[in-house]
Amino acid sequence: MAQFTADIAGMLEIFAIAAGLVLLHRASKEAPANLLKAAGWVLVVGGVVVGACTTFYWFKYQSHGELDSVHMGYPGVMDGAGTGMGPGMRGPGMGSIGPHRPQSSVETGR
């Protein structure tokens, strides 16, 4: 699934480069087309730069094995990190000790 996301990003970059080239071609046919030339160059250069970034991360994730499975592994997902939930806000079984489960003396070491 993650590989398809990278592939979609790559296709969008190719479309941006192609649209930029079309704008540059159109600008060469019309006399006062400075804005078209600028927009064309922004699309071409932006597509190339973002394409290089996407390609770099595609190879990086591929080398780490992240594209071998359907779901990418994100550190901390299973322990609730990054969910916006503070201590005691997670439900039972979500790895948190909160008001729903008081600590016993065995757990606290007292």
Side-chain angles (χ1 to χ4, degrees):
M1 192 68 178
Q3 181 174 352
F4 294 121
T5 304
D7 293 341
I8 291 169
M11 289 302 298
L12 290 173
E13 291 144 9
I14 290 170
F15 287 143
I17 294 168
L21 292 173
V22 168
L23 280 178
L24 289 173
H25 175 72
R26 178 112 187 225
S28 70
K29 301 284 183 186
E30 298 180 15
N34 292 334
L35 191 57
L36 281 178
K37 285 181 184 177
W41 282 114
V42 165
L43 284 169
V44 170
V45 171
V48 169
V49 170
V50 173
C53 182
T54 301
T55 302
F56 170 77
Y57 280 103
W58 190 92
F59 281 113
K60 184 176 178 178
Y61 291 145
Q62 180 70 28
S63 69
H64 284 79
E66 292 291 337
L67 304 181
D68 293 340
S69 66
V70 176
H71 303 288
M72 290 181 69
Y74 296 102
V77 169
M78 293 307 291
D79 63 0
T83 61
M85 296 181 185
M89 294 177 66
R90 295 178 223 136
M94 293 183 73
S96 114
I97 299 172
H100 61 274
R101 186 177 148 232
Q103 290 182 329
S104 68
S105 60
V106 174
E107 293 175 338
T108 60
R110 293 186 223 172

